[in-house]
Structure formats: C-alpha cells, structure tokens
Amino acid sequence: MRTFPHEFSDMLTPRGLRILEGKDKNSLFLNGKNYFATFDGMLDRRKAEDSVRILDTNLYEHLAVEQRKIPPESITGMKVNYEERLNKTMHIKTAFFRRRSARSYRAAEKIGLLQMMRSSSFTNFAEAVTGLKLDRDLNIQVSCYEHGDYVGPHNDHHPENEDVKDGFVDFHLMFTNSAVAHQYLVYEEKGHFSKIVDINIQGGVSVYKLPFWHYTTPLAGKSAQESAARRWLLLGSFSIIGGSRNGR
Ligand SMILES: [Fe+2]
C-alpha cells in the first residue's frame, strides 16, 4: 500500500468488516452509559504498518508543534490553598486541514488520507460502533506523538459551538511504531480519574462520546530508541444528528 485506500473499509479486517456491515451488534453509546471504547483487531496489520510509513514519509514534515505550557502564574499567582487551576496543557505535532492551500492539506490529499477519512465507510463504521447517527461533514485532524508528548487533563466541551455543545463523537485510528514503549489514556469514571487504557495499539480504533474528562500520558520511547518513537492518530470528529446529552 503506497497511499491510503479510497474507502476506509479497505483497511478493515474480516472482523472490522462484520461490524461495518452491522453483523456484530455494538451500538456502544445507545444506552447513554458508555462514553469511551477502544478496539484491537479491526484494522489490517500490514495496512497499519504501511500507514505508518506513508505518514512518516509524506506528512510528518508538514506537521506543526501544538503546545500549551503550564503557566508559572498558576503557582505564583495563587492566593488560596488548594485553589489551583490548570488550563489544557499539551505538546504534540498536528495538522488540522482547515486551509486547502496549506502544505499539510496538499500532502494529506496526495496520499489519499482525506479521501479515506471522508469516505462513506469511515462514517458508517463510526455509526455502527456507536449506534448514533453522525453528521457526514466531519472535522479531520492528524496528530503525531513523540517521546514526551502528552495532552493534560481536559474535557473537550465546546459550549459556544451550537453543533457540538450537547456532545459529539471522536473516532480515532491509531498507528504506532516498534520504538514506542507505552502511552495511556486516563479518563473519568464516577467523578475520578480512575480508568486507564493502553492506546499504544498498532491499528487500534477508539471512539469517544465527548465531553468527559481525560488526559493522555507522555509517550515513552523504548530505551535508546526515544528519538524514533512515534504514535500517529487520525481523528474524525462528528456532530451527532438529533443531538445527544451525556447526562453526566
Ligand atoms: Fe481530548
């Protein structure tokens, strides 16, 4: 595979295809209780390996560092004990594909990434897994985590955006290389950051019904391979047709 296939369905294993075709019932988010799940074995292993190579070769150089540091005033400006506040902190490399003229957009178009993520089977798969009707006009983002890259606690609530203020679905494809030792997602359950899940899964898929509190631990490269460690994340963000309140 030298470019991404036109249809997302061409990335899927037989098990992934069964879910796409509605033969394995999932409908994860229909009962309103679930809000996060991760899957292994949905994407073809060899195509996942190819995806890493395609992204490394064609898109990596066009990514921009996205970072937000811990403000020193979050400590020095404090007047009251235990009243600390932290904005969303992060350090990753990313591309948003908002401008067609951007080099990252052109590179992503050339490797068929945007076409694959806009294909009907991409949305159909996200619908089949979540059980929700999703807006086909999705937002696309690609991120790359390297050694030490992380995203601090945040909830992805966007109360000012009419389309997503009552919740939305993020659908992630994860591609990683053998130099990564570990990376985890920590998320809330019953008001505590109690849940931790391995997200260093080659060809893994995860779905989020946002908003909820979560953070991504710093990616750790294997000893002496830190500079080679990369985990790619292809993100599709969908508005939910008919709206959805988590009620949490
Ligand atoms: Fe997030």
Side-chain angles (χ1 to χ4, degrees):
M1 188 171 95
R2 289 192 184 160
T3 60
F4 286 96
H6 291 176
E7 277 290 337
F8 171 66
S9 51
D10 289 337
M11 300 278 293
L12 293 169
T13 58
R15 195 174 141 228
L17 280 170
R18 273 202 304 280
I19 287 182
L20 176 66
E21 288 158 9
K23 289 177 185 153
D24 273 3
K25 270 276 164 234
N26 263 281
S27 308
L28 264 178
F29 299 156
L30 262 187
N31 63 12
K33 279 189 187 150
N34 299 318
Y35 48 94
F36 175 76
T38 184
F39 304 94
D40 199 358
M42 298 284 166
L43 302 188
D44 181 89
R45 188 88 191 175
R46 231 185 58 213
K47 288 178 180 168
E49 305 283 340
D50 288 348
S51 300
V52 171
R53 201 168 27 77
I54 294 167
L55 293 164
D56 280 347
T57 310
N58 299 282
L59 197 59
Y60 180 77
E61 62 183 310
H62 301 301
L63 300 178
V65 172
E66 175 98 343
Q67 67 165 327
R68 209 163 160 206
K69 295 184 177 181
I70 298 168
E73 316 79 66
S74 65
I75 296 176
T76 57
M78 266 176 74
K79 301 278 187 280
V80 182
N81 295 351
Y82 307 114
E83 285 292 309
E84 55 265 63
R85 279 163 205 270
L86 182 63
N87 55 270
K88 180 179 177 182
T89 54
M90 71 180 89
H91 189 287
I92 53 172
K93 286 200 170 87
T94 200
F96 290 103
F97 312 116
R98 288 184 187 128
R99 282 183 305 114
R100 283 175 170 273
S101 57
R103 282 181 308 156
S104 57
Y105 192 104
R106 292 204 303 266
E109 210 161 41
K110 215 168 120 192
I111 58 176
L113 174 70
L114 298 178
Q115 185 167 7
M116 190 268 287
M117 292 182 75
R118 287 176 185 143
S119 67
S120 54
S121 54
F122 188 80
T123 306
N124 291 347
F125 189 87
E127 287 185 332
V129 171
T130 60
L132 299 170
K133 189 99 193 99
L134 304 174
D135 189 341
R136 274 157 204 269
D137 187 18
L138 72 164
N139 278 320
I140 295 174
Q141 186 185 346
V142 170
S143 296
C144 180
Y145 289 77
E146 297 179 283
H147 184 70
D149 284 350
Y150 77 101
V151 180
H154 66 285
N155 58 34
D156 288 319
H157 184 32
H158 303 297
E160 295 177 303
N161 297 11
E162 193 56 36
D163 288 355
V164 295
K165 68 177 169 54
D166 291 334
F168 63 101
V169 166
D170 252 19
F171 179 53
H172 295 183
L173 311 183
M174 305 182 276
F175 302 114
T176 186
N177 71 20
S178 60
V180 179
H182 62 77
Q183 189 165 39
Y184 297 96
L185 180 90
V186 178
Y187 63 101
E188 65 162 295
E189 188 183 58
K190 296 182 183 141
H192 290 285
F193 280 121
S194 300
K195 287 278 202 178
I196 183 163
V197 57
D198 183 8
I199 49 172
N200 181 35
I201 302 170
Q202 177 63 309
V205 170
S206 55
V207 278
Y208 299 64
K209 190 172 166 216
L210 295 156
F212 61 88
W213 282 95
H214 56 286
Y215 63 90
T216 305
T217 63
L219 182 142
K222 289 178 182 164
S223 179
Q225 298 180 57
E226 288 88 348
S227 63
R230 279 183 197 166
R231 190 178 75 91
W232 286 91
L233 193 56
L234 276 45
L235 304 90
S237 293
F238 295 94
S239 302
I240 300 166
I241 294 174
S244 171
R245 261 261 172 236
N246 274 337
R248 284 178 300 109

